Amino acid sequence: MWVLGVTERRVMGAFWVLNLVLFLVQVVGIKGAHGIGEHGVRIWPMPLSVSHGHKSLYVGKDFKIMRQGGKYKDASGILKDGFSRFLAVVKGAHVVDGDTSKLDQSRVLQGLSVFISSTKDELQYGIDESYKLLVPSPDKPTYAHLEAQTVYGALHGLQTFSQLCQFNFSSRVIEILMTPWIINDQPRFSFRGLLIDTSRHYQPLPIIKNVIDSMAYAKLNVLHWHIVDTQSFPLEIPSYPKLWDGAYSTSERYTMADAAEIVSYAQKRGINVLAELDVPGHALSWGKGYPSLWPSKDCQEPLDVSNEFTFKVIDGILSDFSKVFKYKFVHLGGDEVNTSCWTLTPHVSKWLKEHSMNESQAYQYFVLQAQKIALSHGYEIVNWEETFNNFGNKLSPKTVVHNWLGGGVAQRVVAAGLRCIVSNQDKWYLDHLDTTWEQFYMNEPLTNITKSEQQKLVIGGEVCMWGETVDASDIQQTIWPRAAAAAERLWTPYDKLAKEAKQVTGRLAHFRCLLNQRGIAAAPLAADTPLTQPGRSAPLEPGSCYLQ
């Protein structure tokens, strides 16, 4: 256990020591300097089933991967690259300069054998992400063994395997404790998302890639890219090249090649990119390049519903999207639409009267027209919940309703036969810094949904990192570790989840420190304890990572 030095005790005082003791009592899952958690298992998120022994193995100096049977040829190098990343994170925390040839060779793993059933490496919604990991293999004791239906299941297996490995300071090699491990695993939900917002603050490509890496560590599989909004339009649209005149500056932009690079980078890590085009509100920036998209110069959003050019631009954007963003869904927003500009602008008001529409009918018309355009480009649609709340029975049956305003919405959506993504802002909005990781962990997407056929319509959930108060300097410490709490809720079977968040504190503390070791700036746990901190806080005092 940790021992406070004399200086620290004097600084902290008796009251602070008492608080620390109370905190440690709550975090009884932490054992030893490595934060070993519940029953010695510190994997995050917790797998479907885990069993382990009590022996140690070592990772050989020339640890290699070997495809053993299966039909997968790895023509795109996804498995090869994933294995290289596995080695990098396992060996990255320290210089591995020990000599495994001096160890008992029966305890040295020479490599990993991998069996993948599917020949395909297309990444899409609903693919099989299951895997089985054996360390060591019962058939070949000097190898570990990984089985998966798809290469993306295998990538998840590699992430889990990496968490079993640690540096041994005596032998100076990588050690795997508590073998043999037998892990069978698959996700609870097919959609496990994280939203980033590059309109309120521009996020450079290396930062977005760093976010994608961190998502893979937690087995999140959808990057919801809220690319544009009222404040800026940073993305190149070849069909309408003046749109990115709405960027903050000429350097704070993304080319279509940049977007394709993000999609490719994410895909190699098993992560889909859900692009969002939020219409008709949240679109003032569009008019910087094409002022005719505004109802008027003095009343600039929502987009002009009376102008056919508006829908031609949407069609052009989605046509360009379809060449890069291959995920089956596109997000069309539809939230927070203040339609007063339409009635205050004479030519739009005239159009409404000619078409026998009031403001709410025009809002419905706009959303449904945008849906038709998206469907014509082969997309299924995600819309924020206001569209369902206002005219749910008019939406395309291919609509997924994205809940954000509060509880109870998912119940109504699935009862109506539509699919739903849960992101209720009171529990899963990362920009709400007063929401603790415990609240993130305990937020249940299937609350009050008891019929199995309706439960299947909740395709998953998403934590949202809105960008008003984050840029490249603080995005990761605002996302983590709270996003990890939601990631376990979305991955782990319901009956394996902790009934009280404090039961996983030790394991989450370990995962947070693991993220730090891998170069992810995850903040200390904002625990509901005497050491409570809001999200994105710095450490309070000197001490071990595992106590923060």
Side-chain angles (χ1 to χ4, degrees), residues 55-346:
K55 296 181 179 180
S56 295
L57 294 176
Y58 301 96
V59 175
K61 181 179 179 181
D62 298 317
F63 192 78
K64 57 185 178 292
I65 190 170
M66 177 179 69
R67 281 189 285 116
Q68 186 176 32
K71 300 177 181 178
Y72 185 68
K73 302 302 181 185
D74 200 28
S76 302
I78 295 172
L79 180 62
K80 179 183 176 182
D81 290 349
F83 183 71
S84 295
R85 293 193 302 274
F86 160 81
L87 290 178
V89 297
V90 165
K91 297 180 178 181
H94 299 280
V95 175
V96 182
D97 56 358
D99 186 357
T100 54
S101 68
K102 296 180 180 179
L103 301 172
D104 178 353
Q105 292 305 293
S106 68
R107 297 175 60 195
V108 177
L109 289 178
Q110 302 301 323
L112 172 69
S113 68
V114 181
F115 180 95
I116 298 175
S117 301
S118 175
T119 60
K120 299 178 181 178
D121 57 17
E122 179 188 7
L123 180 64
Q124 197 47 264
Y125 170 78
I127 63 160
D128 191 316
E129 298 176 85
S130 65
Y131 67 91
K132 182 177 182 178
L133 178 64
L134 306 172
V135 186
S137 168
D139 300 325
K140 200 169 187 180
T142 58
Y143 275 72
H145 183 70
L146 176 60
E147 293 182 19
Q149 290 295 313
T150 69
V151 67
Y152 301 107
L155 293 182
H156 291 315
L158 287 171
Q159 293 294 349
T160 297
F161 192 12
S162 74
Q163 292 189 39
L164 304 182
C165 301
Q166 66 178 42
F167 183 73
N168 183 306
F169 283 88
S170 297
S171 62
R172 308 297 176 95
V173 300
I174 302 301
E175 184 179 26
I176 305 169
L177 301 175
M178 301 189 305
T179 68
W181 289 91
I182 302 174
I183 298 173
N184 285 281
D185 204 6
Q186 64 184 47
R188 181 183 177 201
F189 291 101
S190 293
F191 186 107
R192 307 179 304 281
L194 167 67
L195 177 148
I196 62 168
D197 169 10
T198 57
S199 170
R200 276 54 178 258
H201 282 96
Y202 178 82
Q203 296 288 351
L205 253 65
I207 298 299
I208 298 176
K209 289 181 175 181
N210 187 247
V211 169
I212 290 168
D213 288 336
S214 66
M215 290 175 66
Y217 299 148
K219 299 186 176 72
L220 294 174
N221 71 343
V222 179
L223 177 70
H224 175 177
W225 191 359
H226 188 87
I227 307 172
V228 306
D229 209 291
T230 294
Q231 292 83 358
S232 73
F233 197 118
L235 180 65
E236 176 186 26
I237 302 296
S239 297
Y240 291 94
K242 292 182 181 180
L243 280 170
W244 70 355
D245 289 357
Y248 286 123
S249 69
T250 55
S251 64
E252 293 170 295
R253 291 175 168 177
Y254 307 103
T255 67
M256 266 297 176
D258 293 336
E261 170 66 12
I262 290 300
V263 171
S264 174
Y265 190 89
Q267 187 248 345
K268 289 175 181 176
R269 288 153 180 79
I271 295 170
N272 286 293
V273 178
L274 170 64
E276 181 175 358
L277 191 71
D278 198 348
V279 293
H282 292 277
L284 182 150
S285 60
W286 298 35
K288 299 290 179 65
Y290 296 95
S292 63
L293 294 171
W294 291 332
S296 73
K297 288 185 179 180
D298 299 320
C299 209
Q300 298 174 332
E301 65 180 355
L303 296 169
D304 189 345
V305 66
S306 72
N307 189 348
E308 278 301 311
F309 180 62
T310 299
F311 297 100
K312 288 182 180 178
V313 171
I314 292 172
D315 182 59
I317 294 171
L318 291 177
S319 175
D320 290 345
F321 270 23
S322 68
K323 297 177 178 67
V324 172
F325 299 109
K326 300 299 184 179
Y327 194 37
K328 72 181 290 184
F329 300 112
V330 69
H331 206 304
L332 295 179
D335 61 312
E336 298 182 316
V337 180
N338 181 348
T339 56
S340 58
C341 265
W342 290 345
T343 53
L344 294 173
T345 305

Side-chain angles (χ1 to χ4, degrees), residues 95 257 360 525:
V95 175
S360 62
L525 270 64

Side-chain angles (χ1 to χ4, degrees), residues 416-429:
L418 292 175
R419 292 166 294 177
C420 188
I421 297 166
V422 174
S423 292
N424 48 313
Q425 63 172 333
D426 58 328
K427 300 291 174 61
W428 275 1
Y429 266 31

Side-chain angles (χ1 to χ4, degrees), residues 468-541:
E468 285 86 349
T469 62
V470 295
D471 61 11
S473 71
D474 61 358
I475 186 170
Q476 287 288 46
Q477 56 263 50
T478 314
I479 292 172
W480 307 105
R482 292 180 300 162
E488 177 153 295
R489 175 66 51 170
L490 292 168
W491 178 276
T492 302
Y494 181 79
D495 61 357
K496 298 284 185 180
L497 292 165
K499 299 303 181 273
E500 295 182 25
K502 66 181 181 181
Q503 295 173 314
V504 304
T505 307
R507 193 159 47 84
L508 182 56
H510 178 271
F511 184 70
R512 177 256 167 171
C513 296
L514 183 67
L515 291 176
N516 284 176
Q517 291 168 14
R518 294 179 179 186
I520 306 300
L525 270 64
D528 187 12
T529 72
L531 302 185
T532 292
Q533 308 172 64
R536 202 170 64 196
S537 287
L540 291 175
E541 293 286 343

